[in-house]
Amino acid sequence: MQTRKINIVFVFFGIIMFLILNSCKKEELICSTFGFTKNLIWEDSGCDESFDQSPTGDEFRIQEGNQFMYPAFNPNNPYEFVYYQIAADSGSQIITGHHLMKFNYKTGVKTKLLDNVEITGHPAWNLEGWIAFKTVPSGFFIVKDDGSQLTQFSELSYGNLDNGLTWINGSNTLLWGGGQANGTSFINTKTIGDQDKVQIYSEVAIFDVFMVSPDNILIANNGFTYYTTIDLNLDSLYFKLHQFNHSGSPYGKMNWHVDGRRFYMSFVGSLELAGFFEIDFPSGEVKRIIRFCDKEIIKEAICSPLGDKLILQKIERTLIPGPDPTISIGGFLIENSSLWLYDLDTRKEVKLDLD
């Protein structure tokens, strides 16, 4: 009887190991150990480090090694997101590839969905498992979240088409917009299998990055201390102009919290004004969550479907001054993009190792 129990244990263990090893045989799959999230070392957010010497503004801006940017959550899995990776040699600026990647921060499993695809702007992931993105210079494509069924979605000739790329309510209808050369701003929608539908707005500038809330409220950052809102639920679309209760300059991309009552964005300016902020939508009140410093700024953050975590895209900076600090020429400013997991309850963060 004891021997039989031992054999059952060995059989069960063997089945588990077979499933684990077999899952790692898929092409382009990187398997990590279980308990990835538990092994993360969380730290207090914020940065108070200054450069030894102030940048002149004339430094050469460069990137070194892999760059990670443009995260977008899976609406069906709060632990999984896609991102764009520019692969490069760790000790140089030599680019070796462009990838659309998928990562589960709970299990640590990383999957390469697409190779040799240059992406501009942010992907968007819908409830049916379609991921939309814009490439250089071909326009919009969609791909299934397992990397299959890559399809060109739209062939359009307007400018700034990646602004606000959103699947409306997670459906198969994609929304985007931007500005044309003649100064006209626009919003486009298209449902998979249908023709494009263009809605023109000449009376409101939505040239800059905008976002759409879970309740279909569009917010456009106009680049100053104001933002424009459009209720996409109304038959007759009407825009309203709101003002941030903040005198800094908006930076990067705005993104909603899943509750639709607050959103996140960064401001730059003086040290007293710069940082990453949470903004109450009804009142416009702002609350700084993370301070900026010379060596680290946050370009954007996306909210988990559970509403408890953010994925931060940070720009980590290193200054290499020129040979002669008395003249405004020479030197390097290294700016590398990385992704961080941020806990809204504990206000702690951890850098995700995606290399």
Side-chain angles (χ1 to χ4, degrees), residues 134 139-140 156-165 176-179 186 188:
K134 183 174 184 284
F140 289 104
L156 297 172
S157 59
Y158 310 128
N160 304 324
L161 287 176
D162 55 328
N163 288 1
L165 190 63
W176 67 94
F186 65 86
N188 273 50

Side-chain angles (χ1 to χ4, degrees), residues 305-322:
L306 292 179
D308 61 335
K309 300 286 194 303
L310 300 176
I311 299 291
L312 310 177
Q313 180 185 335
K314 290 190 178 184
I315 308 296
E316 298 178 273
R317 309 163 79 217
T318 301
L319 177 65
I320 302 177

Side-chain angles (χ1 to χ4, degrees), residues 164 166-170 175 210-219 230-233 255-263 281:
T166 305
W167 295 100
I168 299 178
N169 288 328
L175 178 147
F210 62 81
M211 59 180 183
V212 179
S213 79
D215 298 323
N216 286 340
I217 303 297
L218 181 150
I219 290 187
I230 301 175
D231 189 341
L232 299 174
N233 298 301
N255 279 299
W256 285 97
H257 188 276
V258 293
D259 63 11
R261 290 188 53 83
R262 46 187 161 152
F263 58 93
F281 173 57

Side-chain angles (χ1 to χ4, degrees), residues 280-307:
D280 180 73
F281 173 57
S283 68
E285 292 296 327
V286 298
K287 178 174 64 176
R288 180 160 52 191
I289 296 177
I290 301 175
R291 289 181 177 272
F292 285 175
C293 70
D294 285 341
K295 297 186 177 182
E296 189 177 273
I297 59 176
I298 297 172
K299 187 173 182 180
E300 69 161 299
I302 60 167
C303 185
S304 154
L306 292 179

Side-chain angles (χ1 to χ4, degrees), residues 110-292:
K110 180 171 59 175
T111 311
K112 185 187 295 182
L113 298 181
L114 293 175
D115 203 356
N116 298 319
V117 53
E118 288 191 54
I119 295 176
T120 177
H122 295 74
W125 196 335
N126 77 358
L127 292 168
E128 300 297 322
W130 286 105
I131 299 170
F133 59 92
K134 183 174 184 284
T135 64
V136 180
S138 303
F140 289 104
F141 284 78
I142 55 174
V143 65
K144 275 292 189 178
D145 53 20
D146 61 358
S148 66
Q149 302 183 54
L150 178 64
T151 307
Q152 182 149 8
F153 187 71
S154 184
E155 297 180 7
L156 297 172
S157 59
Y158 310 128
N160 304 324
L161 287 176
D162 55 328
N163 288 1
L165 190 63
T166 305
W167 295 100
I168 299 178
N169 288 328
S171 68
N172 282 339
T173 298
L174 191 67
L175 178 147
W176 67 94
Q180 298 184 63
N182 63 3
T184 302
S185 47
F186 65 86
I187 297 175
N188 273 50
T189 61
K190 179 179 179 178
T191 302
I192 294 177
D194 293 343
Q195 298 296 313
D196 298 344
K197 180 181 179 182
V198 182
Q199 302 180 56
I200 300 294
Y201 300 93
S202 59
E203 71 274 22
V204 53
I206 54 172
F207 302 101
D208 297 297
V209 173
F210 62 81
M211 59 180 183
V212 179
S213 79
D215 298 323
N216 286 340
I217 303 297
L218 181 150
I219 290 187
N221 168 16
N222 295 332
F224 303 101
T225 57
Y226 295 90
Y227 58 96
T228 298
T229 63
I230 301 175
D231 189 341
L232 299 174
N233 298 301
L234 303 177
D235 294 331
S236 178
L237 299 182
Y238 175 73
F239 73 93
K240 296 180 180 179
L241 196 63
H242 300 259
Q243 185 172 13
F244 297 116
N245 292 324
H246 194 284
S247 56
S249 299
Y251 173 79
K253 188 176 186 296
M254 313 157 71
N255 279 299
W256 285 97
H257 188 276
V258 293
D259 63 11
R261 290 188 53 83
R262 46 187 161 152
F263 58 93
Y264 300 95
M265 69 179 303
S266 295
F267 289 91
V268 293
S270 66
L271 290 177
E272 292 75 22
L273 298 174
F276 176 67
F277 290 80
E278 182 179 83
I279 301 171
D280 180 73
F281 173 57
S283 68
E285 292 296 327
V286 298
K287 178 174 64 176
R288 180 160 52 191
I289 296 177
I290 301 175
R291 289 181 177 272
F292 285 175

